[in-house]
Amino acid sequence: MNTVVFAETNSEGKFRKSAAESVSYAKHIAGMAGGRVVAVTFGASEPGDLSRYGADEIANLTDKELTRFSPEIWAQALSEAAQGEVHILPHSNDGASMAPFLALKRDAALVTGAIAYPSAVSPLRVKRNAFSGKGIMEVAVEGERAVLTVMPNSVGKKESGSQSEITEKSMHLDVPKVTVKSQELTQGKVDVKEANVVVSAGRGLKGPENWGMIEELSELLNGATACSKPVSDMGWRPHSEHVGQTGKTIAPDLYIAIGISGAIQHLAGVNGSKNIVVINSDPDAPFFQAADYGIVGDLFKVVPQLIAELKKYHIQNG
Amino acid sequence: MNVLVCISQVPDTTAKIEFTDGNRAFDTTGISFVINPYDEFGLTRAIWLQERQGARITAVTVGDASVEPSLRKALALGADDAIRIDAEPRDSYQVANELAALVEAGKYDLVITGKESIDYNGGAVPGFLAAMLNWPFVNGCIQLEIEGRKASAQREIDGGREVVGFPLPAVIAGQKGLVEERDLKIPSMRGIVMARKKPLTVKEPLGTQAKTQAEGFERPASKSAVTLIDADRLDELIKCLHEEVKVI
Ligand SMILES: Cc1cc2nc3c(=O)[nH]c(=O)nc-3n(C[C@H](O)[C@H](O)[C@H](O)COP(=O)(O)OP(=O)(O)OC[C@H]3O[C@@H](n4cnc5c(N)ncnc54)[C@H](O)[C@@H]3O)c2cc1C
Ligand SMILES: Nc1ncnc2c1ncn2[C@@H]1O[C@H](COP(=O)(O)O)[C@@H](O)[C@H]1O
């Protein structure tokens, strides 16, 4: 049984964190069911970077058409580049968008949002996110073929240092049905779904002009910024930062919630975080019940102090 | 222009989620159901197309009779008619296949779905539907303009956003941005009265078989008690971030 991985790159051709995670995931399946792990990537600058996560083969597709996202064309390329029973994709915007196209092409069952390694293969059984983080659902696949999207930050990456055969391929692809007229990329920023650390702020910040310290804190931790729903509804922050039941679901190693009360809809999208720090002036804020570490205090004092402490730490420890 | 708005009925966002039947099923006791929030954005955008560009709106749900209140609400908000495909939703492939048959039998120019349903979070019905129909697909749609047979839209992609163009017919999967939160309406009295007279048709399903099966459910592990750190001892938090959380 071969496992094919979609290894996603960013606009500079560097692998996203999800690429290493997806290959590690496939390697785990290969460990359970045997077979090869084939990673397919589009225009990667350093395809060999994936060898150490256990890819037996890395197929780097160099077609120009693949530089722009198209769910149907990316699915076509992935399907034609390698044969396999199981396909692993990241549950990112692009991975989740193309997955149904791939599943239909491969006549495979689709499971989206996996949060753990499969408990069984052939037929595949795996746990996935449900009710926006309020539940976990175990799903079994009918048949041998499956396409699986895996939540970023859920199982992590694992080095298993094998050699890979690296090939460059190009193929004949269809014309995309949707044409891209322009792009606006958030260059140099850590993606909120992939970030190890997410610094998130809510209505307690009082206004958009106060986000400077949130961005500074997040940069010091090499993290991404997020916000509660009312904050994006009021236009203080872009919608792409809205996390929660009706926004993005995230699972970073560390989630810092500043001036967010912890409503059930907010918690749903972030309770998969490995560690939660809550900063709130109200000791009865519901978020403290979902937190690992809590600081009761005025955020306008606590956050600048935290920034100062972090800078001190960075200076002391290089 | 005929617009089909696909609606999924989901538990109210304040609902506590519990499981029953030996953790094999979602416990619907005491749960109130609503139109999936992502679908409300789509329905609202469709109503603008109706008000401003003369579109005709059909709302559709795949489900048993218990989903009819959501279809009635869609009618009260402005949909012209509603269709219920009488099948229990089992997975996104099955739901999409049932919807595709309806689309193929009708004359729709645009199918509007939500990016994801907040109950099973598949995020896959829209893509499956577009793939089955072989129509253009815009996922994560945050803006949409239609002019004649041409559409332009904005979509969220990994690492940013894009402006795209495509011909109709097409499938889009919307999210906030398609319309804003403040644009969402609640049904008026007049709308509710009118909705009673609008057609709600029940259609027999094809009987598509699902390709996946729910085996069981669990609740996420609960957190142990919070460790409170004094606001004047943030050095202790730094120590935790270094030693326990290991992010610095
Ligand atoms: C259908 C629906 C879907 C929803 N989906 C989501 C979702 O996906 N995500 C989401 O986030 N919300 C969602 N909500 C909204 C949710 O119910 C809450 O209203 C929202 O999360 C509250 O945002 P907040 O915590 O920023 O603001 P508030 O609840 O107003 O909380 C502000 C907090 O800041 C604290 N604070 C104030 N000043 C200070 C200070 N100086 N120092 C320290 N702390 C301070 C306060 O004590 C308070 O706890 C949804 C609601 C509905 C109805
Ligand atoms: N049972 C259903 N009936 C009609 N439309 C649905 C149904 N389930 C999902 N959809 C549509 O597909 C979108 C994405 O749902 P899902 O793929 O289930 O996350 C929803 O926002 C709806 O627009």
Side-chain angles (χ1 to χ4, degrees):
Chain A
M1 197 187 90
N2 289 343
T3 309
V4 180
V5 177
F6 171 55
E8 204 175 357
T9 51
N10 64 17
S11 54
E12 286 122 51
K14 295 224 172 64
F15 285 115
R16 288 178 176 275
K17 186 171 148 205
S18 68
E21 292 183 351
S22 303
V23 174
S24 306
Y25 195 98
K27 182 70 181 172
H28 189 94
I29 292 183
M32 294 171 82
R36 283 160 61 81
V37 172
V38 184
V40 179
T41 182
F42 304 160
S45 52
E46 300 288 343
D49 285 355
L50 291 178
S51 300
R52 58 197 158 114
Y53 302 106
D56 296 297
E57 184 187 336
I58 300 164
N60 196 15
L61 309 192
T62 51
D63 303 75
K64 255 192 104 88
E65 294 92 321
L66 294 171
T67 51
R68 287 275 159 101
F69 171 64
S70 160
E72 73 271 13
I73 304 305
W74 282 24
Q76 182 192 14
L78 196 55
S79 170
E80 288 175 16
Q83 296 295 314
E85 286 69 42
V86 177
H87 282 74
I88 306 297
L89 280 64
H91 196 74
S92 56
N93 259 306
D94 300 353
S97 298
M98 68 196 270
F101 288 83
L102 182 66
L104 202 66
K105 247 186 221 314
R106 309 286 312 164
D107 192 23
L110 173 64
V111 178
T112 56
I115 54 166
Y117 290 125
S119 58
V121 282
S122 66
L124 198 93
R125 250 178 107 116
V126 67
K127 286 184 179 161
R128 63 181 295 279
N129 177 46
F131 300 97
S132 310
K134 291 182 187 174
I136 295 167
M137 174 187 193
E138 190 165 36
V139 176
V141 160
E142 315 269 339
E144 288 300 305
R145 292 171 172 220
V147 172
L148 210 64
T149 68
V150 181
M151 288 300 252
N153 281 336
S154 56
V155 293
K157 56 187 180 192
K158 209 160 118 199
E159 298 202 10
S160 51
S162 73
Q163 291 275 335
S164 345
E165 170 197 342
I166 300 175
T167 53
E168 285 218 345
K169 284 188 189 171
S170 84
M171 52 185 56
H172 186 77
L173 294 164
D174 295 343
V175 178
K177 293 190 168 60
V178 170
T179 21
V180 177
K181 293 180 186 162
S182 66
Q183 265 186 339
E184 199 182 299
L185 300 174
T186 43
Q187 228 108 25
K189 277 208 166 180
V190 188
D191 186 87
V192 65
K193 281 177 106 172
E194 288 195 343
N196 281 334
V197 178
V198 174
V199 179
S200 188
R203 208 143 52 177
L205 265 274
K206 308 269 190 297
E209 66 280 5
N210 295 325
W211 247 264
M213 58 181 175
I214 302 300
E215 285 180 341
E216 187 177 4
L217 181 58
S218 128
E219 267 164 42
L220 282 168
L221 292 164
N222 198 12
T225 48
C227 69
S228 67
K229 175 171 177 283
V231 162
S232 77
D233 286 342
M234 290 183 291
W236 293 1
R237 300 297 290 176
H239 289 324
S240 55
E241 284 196 1
H242 161 192
V243 293
Q245 194 167 4
T246 54
K248 292 193 168 71
T249 301
I250 55 170
D253 289 337
L254 174 62
Y255 183 73
I256 306 184
I258 302 167
I260 302 177
S261 56
I264 186 168
Q265 298 99 340
H266 185 87
L267 295 180
V270 304
N271 66 7
S273 309
K274 274 66 133 196
N275 292 280
I276 296 179
V277 173
V278 169
I279 302 171
N280 198 306
S281 51
D282 174 6
D284 296 324
F287 219 143
F288 284 116
Q289 271 157 45
D292 298 282
Y293 304 97
I295 297 153
V296 179
D298 179 3
L299 70 89
F300 292 101
K301 291 202 189 102
V302 174
V303 176
Q305 264 167 27
L306 185 57
I307 289 172
E309 288 287 345
L310 263 175
K311 284 185 175 158
K312 206 158 84 190
Y313 174 89
H314 282 314
I315 291 167
Q316 279 165 8
N317 298 277
Chain B
M1 177 172 29
N2 291 317
V3 180
L4 184 69
V5 180
C6 301
I7 286 175
S8 125
Q9 178 172 284
V10 299
D12 167 36
T13 58
T14 57
K16 279 225 161 70
I17 304 298
E18 309 276 355
F19 303 106
T20 177
D21 189 17
N23 281 336
R24 291 182 66 85
F26 165 48
D27 188 355
T28 56
T29 323
I31 299 276
S32 57
F33 286 88
V34 297
I35 295 179
N36 182 36
Y38 290 102
D39 304 348
E40 263 193 275
F41 294 113
L43 177 61
T44 305
R45 186 65 189 88
I47 292 166
W48 290 4
L49 289 171
Q50 179 195 53
E51 289 168 354
R52 299 168 192 178
Q53 292 171 267
R56 205 193 127 72
I57 305 173
T58 302
V60 61
T61 300
V62 178
D64 62 20
S66 69
V67 303
E68 288 188 5
S70 287
L71 286 175
R72 284 284 169 215
K73 183 175 173 195
L75 291 171
L77 284 168
D80 297 291
D81 72 319
I83 297 172
R84 176 169 72 81
I85 301 176
D86 189 21
E88 176 147 347
R90 299 222 167 264
D91 75 355
S92 41
Y93 170 81
Q94 173 231 1
V95 169
N97 203 49
E98 294 293 343
L99 292 170
L102 177 79
V103 174
E104 269 163 354
K107 285 204 174 61
Y108 298 102
D109 304 290
L110 178 66
V111 177
I112 300 183
T113 68
K115 175 183 137 86
E116 186 175 300
S117 58
I118 64 160
D119 51 0
Y120 296 102
N121 307 103
V125 167
F128 265 135
L129 185 54
M132 287 164 180
L133 297 168
N134 203 16
W135 285 9
F137 176 51
V138 177
N139 199 16
C141 186
I142 47 178
Q143 204 196 320
L144 174 73
E145 296 304 328
I146 311 274
E147 234 188 282
R149 304 296 299 164
K150 283 206 192 115
S152 76
Q154 278 193 39
R155 69 177 170 201
E156 213 176 294
I157 56 164
D158 289 333
R161 52 164 71 190
E162 286 180 339
V163 178
V164 296
F166 54 95
L168 298 185
V171 178
I172 69 133
Q175 57 182 338
K176 191 161 66 173
L178 194 55
V179 303
E180 296 298 327
E181 187 78 21
R182 61 177 175 272
D183 300 320
L184 301 179
K185 298 228 157 58
I186 50 168
S188 64
M189 262 327 281
R190 196 179 116 83
I192 294 168
V193 173
M194 288 196 13
R196 293 199 197 115
K197 298 188 194 118
K198 290 179 180 172
L200 190 165
T201 318
V202 179
K203 285 223 154 98
E204 279 305 306
L206 297 175
T208 312
Q209 293 297 309
K211 287 180 184 274
T212 60
Q213 166 92 35
E215 294 287 332
F217 294 90
E218 62 193 88
R219 287 161 54 87
S222 52
K223 291 259 179 202
S224 48
V226 56
T227 306
L228 286 179
I229 292 171
D230 196 294
D232 295 321
R233 292 303 311 270
L234 293 176
D235 54 315
E236 284 177 16
L237 179 65
I238 302 286
K239 200 165 157 234
C240 292
L241 295 186
H242 175 62
E243 286 172 7
E244 281 156 51
V245 183
K246 296 191 172 73
V247 290
I248 54 169

